[in-house]
């Protein structure tokens, strides 16, 4: 609120207003010189949010700033700073009247800033629309003297600015450095020594351009730039939250890789991801693309409100769309009008409406069966029987399965001899006189039980699990849930540490949608439960049994069998009391209770089936379709509109329990501040397709600016707009605004081609500069914002491993497919609610690129968390880069990198056979070429030569130390001491700054 200024400050004010004009001289530009000052200090209390506006004073518009405030004073009088209450308030020392108030903890204006504001008002207090929302102008490319000319238009903009600042560009980097930089940036892999040598020797004038074109045509290009996009898509292989169950999203990752390799125009790339399902005659690939917005978190915990988490998923889609395509902090408007940017609370829920009409409700929604390789056309699409044929087949199968003993799993069952029993979290059991085990209830809510036993039987062909009641359990059990239920999500059988295959499972009673067959898959959302459907004669709180049919009988008389019982779904849905028994034979094919209900549903005419029967059939048919698909087929979650859209209401304070029903249902809409820059843009909006087309309309100024800026950031470590995630008034203005607009305009003119944009940038002299530090740049431009040189930057987590894979020669270059499980340390899941199954991939699968490593949101592979990969709870448009001791420890000691170091040692011995000492210098040179694309310096060679000879002596005298570095499963054809010494060389190079850094 504005108050009259005390008279004793008038003299002080008159003196302060005599400050000289802005040292920059010339006309003050609002966007360049003033907006940031006001946004930082004033807009929070005097900005767009009317409800939070102090004193009815608005300073983000000319009309508001020059009108009467609540006090009757005028904040800004154009041409008269001494009459402007605004100037008086920022100059006073009165703690009551001074602006910004001390309570805001904002830094007071400096003398230079006061001078700028005074000059601005003196010149008429002209306002401009925020630069990011202005239409893309026609930009003049600077014309420079021939001596300053670069490789293309980018250089003209950069060098004109450098000249004005008294700086010169750096020389071009040497050829080996250029090729390594280009390879890491475009495909994320190291160049081979042969490629480096060929490029260094190629004296043709277009040698560099040929390398660019070769790398852009590589199938690995889509993997490298797909990683950047998947960060924005918050891609992960699990649901998140505490359960964090696995889910197959990899077909979407394959689509991204293929789309980028095909150079799918970015406008179409956008449309298919946001609304591919709404396109006329949408293809399956276009529906796969919509998984972009199914990468939201899913909460499978017991007792959650599904509507709350559905709303949170929709909120995430709005915020992600705003961040990825518009570079705006949309989430600030979820609870109230944005305090800094022109995004109203109303507009937020107009955007919300676009995504509130989809079918998914928490973990439910549309799915597509996708086989490995299908996106790339290397595998035929999954096929299944039509539903009518399936019903006939199922009816026949079930009818044939009926036996006189149906409902009882008959076999000659014998008690087992319990050897050991415990749980993953250390809870205990009480062994009862009948050989059953009663849980003590002290473990985690999602514990895993482990029981090992022997059997007096000659061969064990079947194992029976009896779920038993007990007076100490809720409702007498047999489960520990409040209603006596349990959900057994997985059962594993092993002997001597090796898996024992289970071919089938059956039960005397199954809860609808929780059939016992679910214990044999890896889906944490399926499993055996025993709740009773309406109309069923079965009892839940009674003894029930399940039988596991082993693939081949096993002898358990001496070597125990171990059974693991997993409870990964919902909290405390664990078995309370149970017993295990064994049999030499297998029960005959019978009908379970669930099959009996299914048979009744099949016999019932379609028009007479009740809701439960229709649901039961749909579940069974879906399961049958899944089982008929090729091995590895994924049920990919995709977007799909509801037949009847749900109404959207503004949520007061963003609270899903407080919809503004009085305000009526919302209609879809976009941001007016952006739409005003698009006179020929669309004006009617009905669904996501309209939104997608609006985002990539040629007149939309935000999307092309944000996109080219982000691509620039990946090549120079920061964008032309440094706050690439915030193009709003709180963000930094562009360092080179004309260049940004020129790139954005040409991005559109070139057909939204990302490859063409990349080619333009990486062929510029600006990109090709040396990254070596310079004293004059450090003094005049310490953060290198003017780009007088290139930037050195540590590569991302996945690329660190990819580089080591490349150097070691172990890289499996397979493109696409399901996620894999490379080596990782034990104990990663010690602090998660659910222990994940991490079975290291067999064969070369463990040597796939980091892009394909399974990513659990609750506990990522240590490589990712150590080297700053995001957790993908929300979109990540820019990764941070830290420098910690833990990173060095990981490179030196992590099992995955030790494995790759052995691979590099083996490669050196294979490529350069011969006596250790005689070949030592040649192997050092070869290792440097493989790892850092250059020869070692004389000092490096001497130091390593002496160190390796010393290590050879050490390992020769202490073979146990050598053995600790080697692995029998990965033999190296050399004496252990030599193999260990060369493995040490590889570890040294992997842990060097040169290896981790893109120069």
């Amino acid at each position: 609120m504005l108050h009259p200024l005390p008279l004793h400050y008038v003299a002080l004010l008159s003196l302060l207003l005599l400050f000289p004009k802005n040292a920059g001289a010339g006309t003050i530009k609002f966007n360049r010189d003033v907006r940031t000052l006001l946004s930082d200090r004033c807009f929070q209390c005097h900005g767009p949010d009317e409800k939070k506006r102090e004193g009815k004073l608005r300073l983000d518009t000319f009309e508001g700033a020059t009108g009467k405030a609540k006090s009757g004073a005028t904040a800004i009088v154009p041409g008269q700073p001494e009459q402007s209450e605004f100037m008086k308030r920022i100059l006073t020392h009165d703690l009551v009247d001074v602006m910004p108030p001390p309570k805001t903890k904002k830094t007071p204006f400096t003398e230079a800033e006061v001078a700028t504001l005074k000059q601005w008002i003196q010149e008429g207090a002209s306002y401009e629309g925020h630069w990011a929302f202005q239409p893309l102008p026609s930009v003049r490319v600077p014309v420079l003297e021939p001596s300053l000319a670069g490789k293309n238009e980018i250089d003209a903009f950069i060098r004109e600015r450098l000249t004005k600042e008294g700086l010169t560009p750096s020389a071009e980097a040497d050829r080996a450095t250029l090729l390594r930089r280009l390879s890491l940036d475009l495909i994320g892999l190291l160049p081979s020594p042969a490629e480096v040598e060929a490029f260094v020797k190629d004296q043709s004038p277009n040698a560099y351009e040929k390398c660019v074109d070769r790398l852009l045509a590589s199938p690995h290009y889509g993997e490298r730039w797909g990683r950047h996009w998947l960060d924005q898509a918050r891609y992960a292989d699990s649901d998140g939250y505490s359960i964090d169950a696995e889910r197959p999203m990899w077909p979407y990752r394959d689509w991204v890789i293929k789309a980028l390799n095909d150079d799918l125009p970015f406008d179409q790339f956008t449309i298919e991801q946001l609304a591919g399902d709404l396109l006329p005659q949408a293809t399956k690939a276009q529906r796969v693309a919509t998984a972009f917005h199914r990468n939201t978190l899913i909460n499978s915990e017991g007792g959650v409100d599904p509507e709350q988490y559905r709303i949170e998923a929709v909120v995430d889609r709005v915020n992600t769309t705003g961040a990825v395509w518009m570079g705006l902090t949309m989430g600030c408007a979820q609870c109230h009008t944005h305090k800094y940017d022109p995004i109203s609370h109303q507009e937020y829920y107009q955007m919300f409406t676009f995504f509130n009409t989809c079918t998914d409700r928490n973990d439910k929604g549309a799915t597509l069966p996708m086989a490995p390789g299908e996106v790339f056309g290397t595998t035929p699409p999954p096929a299944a029987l039509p539903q009518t044929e399936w019903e006939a087949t199922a009816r026949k199968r079930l009818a044939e399965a009926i036996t006189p003993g149906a409902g009882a799993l008959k076999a000659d069952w014998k008690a087992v001899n319990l050897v050991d029993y415990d749980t993953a979290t250390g809870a205990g059991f009480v062994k009862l006189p009948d050989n059953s085990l009663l849980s003590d209830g002290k473990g985690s809510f999602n514990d895993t039980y482990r029981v090992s036993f022997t059997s007096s039987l000659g061969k064990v062909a079947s194992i029976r699990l009896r779920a038993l009641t007990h007076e100490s359990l809720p409702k007498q059990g047999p489960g520990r849930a409040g209603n006596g239920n349990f959900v057994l999500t997985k059962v594993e059988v092993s002997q001597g540490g090796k898996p024992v295959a289970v071919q089938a499972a059956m039960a005397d009673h199954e809860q609808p949608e929780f059939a016992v067959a679910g214990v044999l898959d890896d889906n944490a959302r399926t499993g055996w439960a025993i709740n009773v459907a309406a109309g069923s004669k079965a009892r839940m709180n009674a003894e029930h049994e399940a039988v596991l049919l082993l693939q081949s009988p096993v002898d358990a008389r001496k070597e125990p069998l171990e059974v693991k019982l997993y409870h990964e779904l919902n909290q405390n849905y664990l078995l309370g009391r149970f017993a295990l028994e064994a049999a030499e034979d297998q029960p005959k094919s019978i009908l379970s209770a669930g099959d009996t209900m299914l048979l009744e549903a099949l016999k019932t005419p379609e028009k007479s089936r009740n809701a439960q029967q229709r649901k039961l059939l749909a579940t069974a048919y879906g399961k049958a379709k899944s089982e008929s698909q090729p091995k590895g087929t994924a049920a990919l979650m995709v977007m799909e509109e509801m037949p009847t859209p749900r109404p959207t209401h503004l949520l007061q304070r963003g609270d899903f329990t407080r919809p503004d029903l009085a305000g009526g249902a919302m209609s879809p809409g976009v941001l007016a501040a952006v739409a005003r820059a698009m006179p020929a843009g669309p004006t009617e909006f009905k669904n996501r397709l309209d939104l997608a087309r609006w985002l990539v309309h040629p007149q939309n100024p935000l999307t092309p600016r944000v996109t080219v800026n982000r691509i620039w950031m990946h090549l120079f470590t920061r964008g032309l707009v440094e706050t690439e995630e915030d193009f709003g008034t709180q963000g930094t203005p562009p360092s080179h605004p004309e260049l940004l607009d020129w790139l954005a305009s040409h991005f559109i003119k070139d057909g939204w081609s990302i490859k063409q944009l990349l080619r333009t940038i990486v062929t510029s002299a600006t990109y090709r500069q040396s990254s070596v530090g310079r004293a004059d740049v450090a003094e005049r431009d310490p953060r290198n914002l003017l780009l007088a040189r290139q930037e050195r930057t540590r590569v991302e987590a996945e690329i660190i491993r990819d580089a080591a894979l490349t150097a070691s020669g172990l890289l499996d270059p397979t493109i696409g497919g399901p996620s894999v499980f490379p080596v990782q340390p034990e104990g990663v899941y010690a602090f998660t609610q659910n222990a994940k199954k991490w079975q290291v991939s067999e064969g070369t699968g463990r040597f796939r690129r980091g892009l394909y490593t399974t990513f659990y949101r609750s506990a990522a592979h240590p490589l990712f968390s150590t080297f700053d990969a995001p957790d993908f709870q929300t979109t990540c448009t820019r990764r941070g880069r830290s420098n910690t001791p833990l990173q060095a420890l990981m490179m030196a000691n992590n099992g995955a990198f030790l494995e790759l170091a052995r691979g590099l040692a083996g490669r050196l011995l294979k490529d350069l056979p011969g006596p250790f000492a005689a070949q030592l210098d040649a192997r050092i040179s070869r290792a440097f070429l493989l790892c850092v694309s250059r020869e070692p310096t004389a000092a490096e060679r001497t130091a390593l030569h002496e160190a390796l000879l010393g290590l050879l002596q050490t390992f020769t005298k202490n073979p146990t130390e050598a053995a600790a570095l080697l692995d029998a499963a990965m033999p190296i054809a050399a004496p252990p001491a030599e193999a260990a010494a060369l493995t040490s060389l590889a570890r040294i190079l992997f842990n060097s700054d040169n290896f981790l850094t893109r120069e």
Side-chain angles (χ1 to χ4, degrees), residues 455-460 553-557 584:
S455 173
S456 60
L457 299 173
K459 293 289 183 181
V460 174
V554 295
D555 188 342
R557 285 175 291 187
E584 288 185 312

Side-chain angles (χ1 to χ4, degrees), residues 805 810-814 820 841-849:
L805 282 166
L810 296 174
L811 174 68
D812 178 348
T814 304
V820 294
S841 297
E842 297 180 355
T844 60
R846 67 199 291 154
F847 301 125
R848 299 283 305 282
R849 293 193 67 167

Side-chain angles (χ1 to χ4, degrees), residues 764-832:
S764 70
T766 302
Y767 174 83
R768 293 155 70 164
Q769 293 178 108
S770 168
S771 62
V772 175
R774 290 166 44 189
D776 60 333
V777 175
E779 180 182 354
R780 298 289 302 279
D781 182 22
R783 300 188 59 227
N784 194 32
L785 298 176
L786 301 179
L787 295 172
R789 61 176 177 83
Q790 248 288 6
E791 288 282 349
R792 298 180 76 249
T793 182
R794 196 207 71 220
V795 295
E796 300 100 310
E798 296 88 341
I799 307 305
I800 291 172
R801 183 168 179 274
D802 293 350
L805 282 166
T806 313
S808 70
L810 296 174
L811 174 68
D812 178 348
T814 304
I815 308 291
S819 297
V820 294
F821 300 86
V823 172
Q824 77 169 6
E826 294 290 332
V828 170
Y829 308 114
F831 301 100
T832 62

Side-chain angles (χ1 to χ4, degrees), residues 126 263 397 420 441 496 759 775 886 898 918 974 976 980:
S126 175
D263 200 20
R397 180 185 67 80
D420 193 19
R759 195 180 193 282
L886 188 59
L898 180 57

Side-chain angles (χ1 to χ4, degrees), residues 702-713 719-720 739-748 757 761:
L702 266 184
T703 299
R705 280 181 174 131
V706 168
T707 305
V708 300
N709 184 69
R710 204 163 279 146
I711 288 172
W712 183 278
M713 174 191 72
L720 296 168
L739 173 57
L740 177 66
D741 286 348
W742 183 87
L743 288 169
S745 296
H746 276 264
F747 186 41
I748 298 172
L757 175 62
I761 297 175

Side-chain angles (χ1 to χ4, degrees), residues 653-687:
R653 303 297 302 169
D655 185 347
F656 84 104
T657 66
R658 297 177 59 198
D660 182 10
L661 301 178
M666 306 287 293
S667 297
V670 296
L671 304 185
V674 181
R676 281 194 290 270
M678 306 166 58
T683 56
E684 292 187 11
F685 301 92
K686 296 179 181 178
N687 54 35

